[in-house]
Amino acid sequence: MASAASTRQPISKMEWLAVLASCTAASLIAVMWSWRNDALLNYGDAVAHLNIARRVFDSHQPRFSQLGSVWLPLPHILMLPFVQVYAWWANGLAGVFPSVLAYIAACAGFYRLARRWLSPMAAALALAFFAANPNLLYLQTTAMTEPLFLCELIWISVWLVEWRAALDVDPEQNTRLLWLIALALVAAVYTRYDGWVMALLAWVAIGVTLARRGQLRSRAFWLASVLVVAAPIAWFAYNSAAFGDWLYFIRGPYSAKAIEDRTSAGFPPHPGWHNPWVSFLFYMKAAEMDAAAAAWGNVLLAVSLLGSACAWISARRARIAWALLLALPVPFYAYSVSYGSVPIFLPPWWPHSWYNLRYGMELLPALTLCLGFTAHAIFDLFGPRAYKPRAFYIVAVVLFAIVAVNDYRMLRERPLVYVEGTKNIHARQPIYSQIPPVLRAYLTTHPNAVILMDTSTYQRSSP
């Protein structure tokens, strides 16, 4: 098998145009579907993200401490310009704009990463599997944080790979990439807590690499280090100043641990509790179900493992190890489910429910890149130098058809992330339908009244 590194060619303008045009079209089609099916606000978390962004300027005490705690602030800050339009905040469009841009950027970054080692055909196949995933397409029509974090995860991986490649040949480019990585890590730190672990691992890897080459005295590295380290420290300081506890986001009343204590109905609180192996299985099953049709999940994992072997054999000299950051969600969620009060419920396994299934989407780039390496190996067998080069085009059509069939079957089965959101809104629908008429009636008699409401929990009173 030819080395995957040998396939590295500059990405042409036509390739970029095709990538951006196709991904933008897919994104807009998904947005139109969600709009027509009133699915923009299915997730209660999406509604909460929009409300947090809106209240920064539209509240009795407008201030940036209205960004709250627990949830990190960058997604809400990005929505600030859009939630100022009342209609966009009310119908959910304010959250769509950042998510769509993040989705398109993630697709572009994924293709750039894939093309570093894969042929154009294999990279296009991998991009099709990633960009056309129904769960991802639905999430990027909401105000959820996963599309933004996927964008950050992918571009940090891209720039890490390029930083290592430029370390010996282009010091100026290397410094620029170092600053891009630092800025992207800060963005990830302020998006999801996965980003804290990612920042630690990525920056330590950079430091170790520089130390081995005797370049640890780099001024740019230490200045950028100050920026990366300051990001979580600033969050601690914000929590201390705004809420009187620098760990409020961990032990406050809205933390994951507090929510689990309130909602847990038995012991253990959820599958995988204090059991890393079960937590690992639940997360991998969620990632599998998010990426492939129900009957194809095990096949997806097997082909991905094959692709991992192909990547190690054919691309190890191209420093494929720097892309291992894409696999970070596996240990992070195995630990989080075990010890971080972050349950994942799957419909086929007890308790046979839908909860946090969307977390599996974070492994989609890693699974897809491995699939790309498998496709690259297959295409290499039928390339122009093969005995029957026409077979190359037949194989290409078959592989793209398999991707299309997988997406079709996922749509027929209903994407699990969309089902999770739908079940989520059903729990909130009674309060959403009952509150407006009560408020309208009250405001007719008390037009200047101040109303205090608690919408943090949804439960029906007994008759």
Side-chain angles (χ1 to χ4, degrees), residues 163 167 170-179 203 206-226:
W163 174 85
L167 184 59
D170 192 342
E172 185 176 345
Q173 174 71 1
N174 182 264
T175 300
R176 285 197 298 268
L177 288 168
L178 184 69
W179 281 106
W203 211 249
I206 290 174
V208 170
T209 301
L210 291 175
R212 287 179 175 177
R213 307 187 70 81
Q215 301 178 20
L216 197 56
R217 294 182 179 179
S218 165
R219 182 170 178 267
F221 170 75
W222 288 106
L223 289 175
S225 296
V226 172

Side-chain angles (χ1 to χ4, degrees), residues 295-445:
W296 293 9
N298 292 334
V299 175
L300 167 69
L301 292 180
V303 175
S304 295
L305 289 175
L306 175 62
S308 300
C310 293
W312 174 250
I313 293 171
S314 65
R316 57 185 176 183
R317 294 178 183 175
R319 299 180 174 88
I320 187 68
W322 286 87
L324 287 176
L325 194 66
L326 294 176
L328 170 65
V330 176
F332 178 83
Y333 281 104
Y335 176 85
S336 297
V337 173
S338 296
Y339 305 107
S341 303
V342 180
I344 294 178
F345 296 159
L346 307 170
W349 294 352
W350 184 88
H352 308 291
S353 185
W354 285 258
Y355 191 63
N356 289 336
L357 273 166
R358 64 187 183 278
Y359 292 163
M361 293 301 303
E362 292 187 20
L363 195 60
L364 182 62
L367 292 174
T368 307
L369 186 62
C370 291
L371 291 177
F373 274 100
T374 303
H376 178 86
I378 295 173
F379 285 137
D380 195 55
L381 293 175
F382 297 94
R385 292 172 295 178
Y387 181 70
K388 294 182 179 180
R390 291 183 180 178
F392 173 87
Y393 299 102
I394 298 175
V395 170
V397 170
V398 170
L399 292 181
F400 276 97
I402 291 174
V403 172
V405 171
N406 176 63
D407 291 336
Y408 172 76
R409 294 190 63 171
M410 291 181 70
L411 290 171
R412 285 289 303 270
E413 295 167 2
R414 303 181 73 199
L416 292 183
V417 169
Y418 169 72
V419 175
E420 179 185 0
T422 302
K423 292 183 177 296
N424 195 275
I425 198 173
H426 286 167
R428 309 189 320 271
Q429 198 62 53
I431 193 171
Y432 282 178
S433 60
Q434 294 171 14
I435 286 180
V438 173
L439 290 180
R440 283 193 293 267
Y442 187 77
L443 290 174
T444 57
T445 57

Side-chain angles (χ1 to χ4, degrees), residues 82-417:
F82 306 106
V83 295
Q84 304 313 309
V85 181
Y86 181 88
W88 292 356
W89 163 69
N91 59 29
L93 275 178
V96 172
F97 293 106
S99 292
V100 163
L101 293 175
Y103 163 81
I104 295 173
C107 292
F110 180 83
Y111 187 76
R112 179 165 165 169
L113 183 64
R115 280 285 280 111
R116 187 162 194 90
W117 299 292
L118 306 181
S119 64
M121 187 68 76
L125 182 73
L127 177 65
F129 188 88
F130 175 80
N133 179 276
N135 288 301
L136 178 58
L137 283 171
Y138 171 65
L139 276 179
Q140 61 95 44
T141 70
T142 71
M144 302 298 282
T145 62
E146 280 77 12
L148 177 60
F149 186 76
L150 278 178
C151 176
E152 294 159 349
L153 172 64
I154 289 170
W155 276 103
I156 289 169
S157 300
V158 170
W159 287 328
L160 278 172
V161 171
E162 294 179 354
W163 174 85
R164 182 59 185 89
L167 184 59
D168 301 322
V169 297
D170 192 342
E172 185 176 345
Q173 174 71 1
N174 182 264
T175 300
R176 285 197 298 268
L177 288 168
L178 184 69
W179 281 106
L180 287 174
I181 294 168
L183 292 172
L185 288 174
V186 170
V189 165
Y190 286 138
T191 300
R192 293 181 66 88
Y193 292 101
D194 323 25
W196 294 40
V197 180
M198 182 163 60
L200 174 64
L201 295 178
W203 211 249
V204 167
I206 290 174
V208 170
T209 301
L210 291 175
R212 287 179 175 177
R213 307 187 70 81
Q215 301 178 20
L216 197 56
R217 294 182 179 179
S218 165
R219 182 170 178 267
F221 170 75
W222 288 106
L223 289 175
S225 296
V226 172
L227 181 65
V228 173
V229 173
I233 292 177
W235 186 242
F236 291 137
Y238 164 81
N239 276 263
S240 178
F243 307 104
D245 182 358
W246 68 292
L247 290 177
Y248 186 80
F249 62 98
I250 293 178
R251 56 195 182 196
Y254 302 107
S255 64
K257 181 65 169 65
I259 292 174
E260 182 181 66
D261 291 342
R262 289 197 300 268
T263 59
S264 176
F267 186 89
H270 59 264
W273 188 76
H274 287 192
N275 190 325
W277 174 245
V278 173
S279 300
F280 167 79
L281 292 178
F282 264 74
Y283 182 73
M284 291 303 298
K285 185 65 174 179
E288 169 191 305
M289 296 173 70
D290 285 341
W296 293 9
N298 292 334
V299 175
L300 167 69
L301 292 180
V303 175
S304 295
L305 289 175
L306 175 62
S308 300
C310 293
W312 174 250
I313 293 171
S314 65
R316 57 185 176 183
R317 294 178 183 175
R319 299 180 174 88
I320 187 68
W322 286 87
L324 287 176
L325 194 66
L326 294 176
L328 170 65
V330 176
F332 178 83
Y333 281 104
Y335 176 85
S336 297
V337 173
S338 296
Y339 305 107
S341 303
V342 180
I344 294 178
F345 296 159
L346 307 170
W349 294 352
W350 184 88
H352 308 291
S353 185
W354 285 258
Y355 191 63
N356 289 336
L357 273 166
R358 64 187 183 278
Y359 292 163
M361 293 301 303
E362 292 187 20
L363 195 60
L364 182 62
L367 292 174
T368 307
L369 186 62
C370 291
L371 291 177
F373 274 100
T374 303
H376 178 86
I378 295 173
F379 285 137
D380 195 55
L381 293 175
F382 297 94
R385 292 172 295 178
Y387 181 70
K388 294 182 179 180
R390 291 183 180 178
F392 173 87
Y393 299 102
I394 298 175
V395 170
V397 170
V398 170
L399 292 181
F400 276 97
I402 291 174
V403 172
V405 171
N406 176 63
D407 291 336
Y408 172 76
R409 294 190 63 171
M410 291 181 70
L411 290 171
R412 285 289 303 270
E413 295 167 2
R414 303 181 73 199
L416 292 183
V417 169

